[in-house]
Amino acid sequence: MNARYPVARPRRLRRTPALRRLVAETRVRPEDLILPMFVKEGIAEPNPVGSMPGVLQHTRDSLRKAAVEAAEAGVGGVILFGIPAEKDERGSAADDPRGIVQLALRDLAAEVGDDLVLMADLCLDEYTSHGHCGLLTPEGEVDNDATLERYASIARAQAEAGVAVVAPSGMMDGQVAAIRAALDESGHTQTAILAYAAKYASAFYGPFREAAEGAPRFGDRTGYQQDPANAREALREVELDIAEGADMVMVKPGLAYLDIVARVADAVTVPVSAYQVSGEYAMVEAAAEKGWIDRERAIMETLLSFRRAGAAQILTYWATEAARLLR
């Protein structure tokens, strides 16, 4: 830098809204946003999620309507989480062709399949009676390799139902390779994988577990999700997933892990997503309800922070609202 004050005055370029827009280094677009949606089997009306104001457990009909609204707002995609009427040890509803997510995917493919990227979470925790992300050994441990067979079957079922992108979130070793092989062997070579590559064992998931009804019945998920203390490990997980065939990778949670988002974005050439998780959403909504923060400004500032850190896509429960604000 050559010029110094008083010749150099950075405030000149902050003087008006038009100048600030002109020189903005980072922008959020509606098409960068992905809306997580919950669809529940066996309910007649949508159920509000108490800890997440504005978020619903949808019926198939209300899900279609919400997806149409997202598409009309310009949102880039939706990701589905299913809540079955019945659960068992194997999570049998997860790959049932008549399971709730498969039915919902067919609905949305017909309704908005040309306007939104249809994604589905690929895991077992919402479907198992014990609430863990995989099958259990007799000792109660998650059986990594047996779980991979279930993930492969779920991937095939979701692809048959019309999903464009499967998103494995269980953090099992080898999950991306197993899913990629299953998809290719069943003729779904164009179905993409968004890997939850760096998913941390976080306290910020609490409201989600109410929404998805997927809290573990015993223990926790620290044995397979990442330790919040570790950053290099995230890069290793991402590298492994890409080597196994991931088309995109995700960091979850988002705000408390912007350093991980930035490190991953600097290290890879595939698109990087960040998940603005339920606890992050709930904190802003609660503070705004108390009048402690400006809600809309806080929403847009958090979304901008993900993009500034290097996220190409942002999963956020505010996707439709934010897309409308951006337009």
Side-chain angles (χ1 to χ4, degrees), residues 118-327:
L118 299 184
M119 306 181 178
D121 181 74
L122 197 167
C123 198
L124 284 169
D125 55 323
E126 301 103 311
Y127 301 94
T128 54
S129 52
H130 48 73
H132 278 283
C133 297
L135 303 183
L136 300 182
T137 67
E139 295 74 33
E141 299 289 333
V142 173
D143 188 330
N144 189 99
D145 294 3
T147 298
L148 298 184
E149 297 178 16
R150 296 291 296 125
Y151 286 4
S153 182
I154 298 166
R156 288 190 291 266
Q158 292 180 350
E160 291 290 341
V163 80
V165 181
V166 296
S169 61
M171 290 297 288
M172 297 296 118
D173 294 338
Q175 64 182 15
V176 173
I179 289 166
R180 184 72 270 159
L183 290 170
D184 291 351
E185 289 166 6
S186 58
H188 299 290
T189 59
Q190 297 305 309
T191 302
I193 299 175
L194 166 58
Y196 286 65
K199 181 178 179 181
Y200 284 86
S202 172
F204 290 102
Y205 300 150
F208 174 93
R209 290 174 181 165
E210 176 191 352
E213 300 181 14
R217 300 287 181 177
F218 64 89
D220 57 30
R221 296 176 179 144
T222 54
Y224 42 101
Q225 295 176 356
Q226 277 190 246
D227 185 340
N230 294 349
R232 289 192 302 273
E233 183 184 27
L235 297 178
R236 183 185 185 206
E237 289 279 9
V238 167
E239 180 183 347
L240 286 167
D241 281 359
I242 293 172
E244 291 176 16
D247 301 284
M248 301 180 280
V249 295
M250 185 197 302
V251 176
K252 181 182 181 182
L255 284 179
Y257 296 85
L258 290 178
D259 61 319
I260 307 300
V261 175
R263 290 180 68 163
V264 171
D266 286 344
V268 305
T269 57
V270 301
V272 176
S273 300
Y275 199 140
Q276 185 173 50
V277 299
S278 60
E280 298 165 22
Y281 175 94
M283 287 191 301
V284 171
E285 290 289 350
E289 191 274 333
K290 293 286 189 182
W292 294 339
I293 59 173
D294 181 319
R295 180 178 176 277
E296 285 188 3
R297 284 190 64 189
I299 291 170
M300 301 313 294
E301 186 175 338
T302 58
L303 296 178
L304 194 65
S305 74
F306 292 119
R307 291 285 290 121
R308 192 179 63 245
Q313 297 83 32
I314 307 162
L315 290 80
T316 175
Y317 301 98
W318 288 304
T320 301
E321 179 181 356
R324 289 172 178 153
L325 291 171
L326 288 165
R327 288 189 178 278

Side-chain angles (χ1 to χ4, degrees), residues 59-134:
T59 66
R60 287 170 64 187
D61 284 341
S62 70
L63 184 81
R64 281 195 294 265
K65 293 174 184 175
V68 168
E69 292 177 0
E72 290 174 346
V75 169
V78 296
I79 183 167
L80 300 188
F81 298 85
I83 306 153
E86 296 183 4
K87 305 185 180 192
D88 59 28
E89 291 289 310
R90 290 180 51 80
S92 300
D95 57 343
D96 184 345
R98 299 291 300 171
I100 186 60
V101 162
Q102 280 70 255
L103 294 176
L105 283 169
R106 291 186 176 93
D107 292 341
L108 297 192
E111 192 84 34
V112 293
D114 293 332
D115 303 312
L116 288 171
V117 177
L118 299 184
M119 306 181 178
D121 181 74
L122 197 167
C123 198
L124 284 169
D125 55 323
E126 301 103 311
Y127 301 94
T128 54
S129 52
H130 48 73
H132 278 283
C133 297

